[in-house]
Amino acid sequence: MRIARFAAGDEVGFGLVETDSDSGEEFVARLSGHPLLGDIKLTGERAKLSDVRLLSPVLPTKVVCVGKNYADHVAEMKDVTGESTDEPVVFLKPSTAVTGPHDAVFYPEASERVDYEGELAIVIARPCREVPRERAKDVILGYTVANDVTARDLQKKDKQWTRAKGFDSFCPLGPWITTGMSIEEAQELAITTTVDGQTRQEGRTSQFIHDIPDIIAHVSSFMTLLPGDVVLTGTPAGVGPVEIGQEVSVTVERLGTISNRVVARD
């Protein structure tokens, strides 16, 4: 299933994204209830996908991020983030960094270099702590696409990553949550990032240093994950700056594309 959160007029709700078998046109079939609470059903209402505004598919309490999870990215960022580590490097983005799949990313006045980082994101299904590797699949609702936007100059200046990663709008998510995908399938996906249509990143989740079960086990060993929390899995090589007015698109195979234009904050 593809579960979207969307706005139609003054109403916000969840729906299943469906493709008409005859026309190929995509629709959103509205759901009653909340997908994270389990009691959902189709209402019978349906709208064209082009007629609604897609929102971030979840509103997490936190976004947990894994850094330095691709060897080629570690090499290109060695002067900023250092060598790879035996355990996953974990940092947080605040919930206020989350924005929608087509919303603006605001370029902060405090920074002179803002970078894109296309990533696969995991959406957590239920409260969990100390999850063993073999049970990681039991706590995953599905997967979505993310851009871990980063003020690179502030990351280097501050020697830690909270400010550089935490600005409002610095975590576009979407376009929806794809469920029913196994961990093995999620670790065989292509990731592509473009800026104004030009390819900047090309990688595969099979290149992870730390795989999805390792990530879930490690993060949950010291932190309780809640329903709707999002875990970012790292970015491949090719990160770089984006300027005001440019549009960044991140595509993860089988999951979809998010496209966000960078704008100056008023």
Side-chain angles (χ1 to χ4, degrees), residues 5 14 34 36 55-65 92-100 121-125 141 144-146 170-174 177 223-232:
R5 180 170 160 267
F14 289 92
H34 195 295
L36 287 167
L55 308 174
S56 62
V58 287
L59 295 173
T61 68
K62 54 188 172 293
V63 179
V64 186
C65 309
L92 296 175
K93 281 179 177 280
S95 60
T96 47
V98 171
T99 193
I122 304 164
V123 181
I124 298 299
L141 174 65
T144 193
V145 183
F170 268 28
C171 190
L173 295 175
I177 303 167
M223 180 188 307
T224 298
L225 294 170
L226 299 176
D229 280 351
V230 172
V231 181
L232 305 193

Side-chain angles (χ1 to χ4, degrees), residues 65-68 80-82 89-93 148 150 152 154-156 158-166:
C65 309
V66 172
K68 302 197 288 188
V80 177
T81 59
V89 173
V90 177
F91 60 95
L92 296 175
K93 281 179 177 280
D148 176 20
T150 304
R152 192 69 69 199
L154 301 183
Q155 183 184 27
K156 189 172 184 178
D158 291 351
K159 308 302 183 186
Q160 55 83 31
W161 303 357
T162 302
R163 180 167 66 140
K165 302 278 191 175

Side-chain angles (χ1 to χ4, degrees), residues 73-148:
H73 176 60
V74 173
E76 73 176 353
M77 295 299 297
K78 186 176 178 181
D79 63 327
V80 177
T81 59
E83 302 280 359
S84 60
T85 56
D86 292 337
E87 293 182 320
V89 173
V90 177
F91 60 95
L92 296 175
K93 281 179 177 280
S95 60
T96 47
V98 171
T99 193
H102 304 296
D103 292 340
V105 168
F106 295 103
Y107 202 114
E109 292 184 0
S111 177
E112 295 182 355
R113 174 168 168 169
V114 171
D115 283 14
Y116 52 81
E117 294 189 9
E119 307 200 12
L120 170 74
I122 304 164
V123 181
I124 298 299
R126 60 179 178 82
C128 57
R129 188 170 183 274
E130 297 181 351
V131 180
R133 275 185 55 89
E134 60 272 15
R135 293 197 58 194
K137 65 181 185 300
D138 298 333
V139 305
I140 296 173
L141 174 65
Y143 301 91
T144 193
V145 183
N147 185 356
D148 176 20

Side-chain angles (χ1 to χ4, degrees), residues 120 133 143 181-190 204-208 210-215:
L120 170 74
R133 275 185 55 89
Y143 301 91
M181 180 178 288
S182 70
I183 287 177
E184 291 75 18
E185 290 174 300
Q187 293 184 157
E188 289 290 343
L189 302 176
R204 297 194 65 85
T205 55
S206 57
Q207 298 170 310
F208 286 164
H210 305 287
D211 64 11
I212 290 172
D214 270 350
I215 290 170

